[in-house]
Amino acid sequence: MGKILNTLLRRSPSKTSSKLAMMARLAISRIAILKNIHTAKWNIACSDALQLLPGGHPRRELALIKAELAITEQKTLDAYAMIEVYCRLLAEKTEMITDSKECPNELKEMVSSLIFAASRCGQFPELEKIRQMLTSKYGKDFAYSAIEIRNNCGVHPKMVHKLSSLPPTMEAKENLLKKIARDNNIAYIA
């Protein structure tokens, strides 16, 4: 049925495959830009926290806010690193994807994680296009399973954690401030 539909719609599997691979390569290029932006934000948040460390209670509260920003940026950078790896794998395995009617088990984590990430990463049109193409290929139920993180959906748990909107714990913020203080030979008083 898929070949007939492709013929009727004048889509060849190789054309779909090359379009998916091209979109994956474009996403990798976009990730490089996004990584630079978020690295700069991470550096600014850490620098601001460092400047606020040697101070009293009001400055400590501001330092904790900056630490939270830095942790959020680091989680975003970690998620982009994972997305980049998955996009590289996608570019290599597009023929395998276009040749199968159901998602191959060895690619389920990659496909599910990319669909999940696309639903959480705004301003990333290439990843959104990849999500649309994979949803078109494997169906809305497969995509919703990944987006909603259903049982056995295949989304990597680390990806779920990195793209979570939950704020960092106080312990995580304190640990980052201690690390910043230690790295810069500043006494940190909790």
Side-chain angles (χ1 to χ4, degrees):
M1 179 68 181
K3 289 181 182 179
I4 296 170
L5 184 59
N6 282 334
T7 304
L8 290 172
L9 297 173
R10 295 186 183 351
R11 293 185 299 195
S12 67
S14 62
K15 186 175 181 180
T16 304
S17 172
S18 63
K19 188 173 181 181
L20 189 57
M22 178 192 70
M23 204 53 60
R25 287 189 294 276
L26 287 172
I28 292 166
S29 297
R30 172 82 60 177
I31 288 170
I33 295 165
L34 293 171
K35 278 183 173 180
N36 287 339
I37 292 167
H38 289 279
T39 299
K41 289 180 178 181
W42 180 85
N43 286 328
I44 291 168
C46 287
S47 176
D48 289 350
L50 175 62
Q51 291 176 4
L52 293 165
L53 283 178
H57 179 70
R59 290 177 60 108
R60 182 179 175 281
E61 292 301 318
L62 289 173
L64 286 168
I65 291 169
K66 295 301 180 177
E68 183 173 339
L69 290 172
I71 291 168
T72 301
E73 292 302 330
Q74 185 60 56
K75 284 174 56 177
T76 301
L77 287 167
D78 294 345
Y80 285 151
M82 290 181 73
I83 293 168
E84 182 177 11
V85 169
Y86 288 140
C87 284
R88 289 185 190 285
L89 182 61
L90 179 65
E92 293 173 11
K93 302 291 184 178
T94 53
E95 289 295 326
M96 190 177 196
I97 289 172
T98 54
D99 290 345
S100 62
K101 291 181 181 180
E102 290 189 20
C103 185
N105 283 336
E106 58 268 24
L107 300 180
K108 186 174 182 180
E109 178 185 310
M110 173 203 59
V111 171
S112 297
S113 294
L114 286 173
I115 290 170
F116 173 79
S119 71
R120 303 312 195 267
C121 294
Q123 299 179 345
F124 199 153
E126 297 82 3
L127 189 58
E128 178 59 29
K129 185 67 176 169
I130 289 169
R131 182 192 64 79
Q132 290 171 359
M133 294 170 82
L134 293 172
T135 299
S136 174
K137 175 66 180 170
Y138 296 122
K140 289 181 180 179
D141 286 340
F142 182 87
Y144 289 142
S145 177
I147 291 168
E148 296 171 359
I149 317 166
R150 294 183 192 152
N151 285 340
N152 300 319
C153 66
V155 177
H156 196 290
K158 189 175 178 181
M159 180 73 78
V160 173
H161 172 70
K162 296 299 179 182
L163 293 175
S164 168
S165 60
L166 293 175
T169 63
M170 181 59 80
E171 180 182 359
K173 293 185 273 189
E174 290 281 353
N175 287 339
L176 179 60
L177 290 178
K178 287 176 189 175
K179 181 183 180 321
I180 290 171
R182 187 176 50 250
D183 291 349
N184 291 280
N185 296 319
I186 296 173
Y188 176 71
I189 302 166

